[in-house]
């Protein structure tokens, strides 16, 4: 049986649930990589939602936030399954 291994992911946190939902909507519209997840316990954030994507997509996510004026609280690298 193969064991799952934790790998680094870029995790975007949001100050409010509204900001998280706006980001998720934009991500779908602009085909941004990743998915919405609960904030990992290793991170403290303003709301309980975060966006998780491969670390090599970090800059793409941040550019989208700037381009589309999407509010986010922080970006973290977290080892996740």
């Amino acid at each position: 049986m193969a064991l799952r291994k934790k790998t680094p992911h870029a995790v975007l946190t949001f100050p409010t649930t509204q900001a998280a939902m706006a980001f998720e909507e934009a991500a779908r519209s602009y085909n941004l990589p990743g998915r919405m997840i609960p904030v990992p316990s290793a991170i403290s954030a303003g709301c309980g939602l975060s966006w998780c994507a491969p670390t090599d997509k970090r800059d793409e996510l941040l550019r989208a936030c700037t381009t589309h004026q999407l509010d986010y609280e922080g970006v973290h690298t977290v080892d996740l399954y």
Side-chain angles (χ1 to χ4, degrees):
M1 180 168 105
L3 296 176
R4 293 189 315 167
K5 181 182 174 189
K6 285 187 176 185
T7 57
H9 287 76
V11 177
L12 227 60
T13 57
F14 305 97
T16 64
T17 301
Q18 182 179 357
M21 295 293 102
F23 185 89
E24 184 176 41
E25 184 177 328
R28 288 185 180 147
S29 295
Y30 302 115
N31 291 321
L32 297 175
R35 63 188 174 96
M36 193 67 68
I37 64 168
V39 173
S41 59
I43 301 173
S44 176
C47 84
L49 298 172
S50 61
W51 189 262
C52 173
T55 53
D56 64 338
K57 302 300 182 183
R58 179 184 189 271
D59 291 341
E60 181 180 351
L61 297 177
L62 294 176
R63 273 193 307 276
C65 287
T66 301
T67 301
H68 305 293
Q69 299 178 340
L70 299 167
D71 195 17
Y72 71 97
E73 188 173 62
V75 62
H76 312 270
T77 301
V78 181
D79 288 337
L80 301 171
Y81 288 108

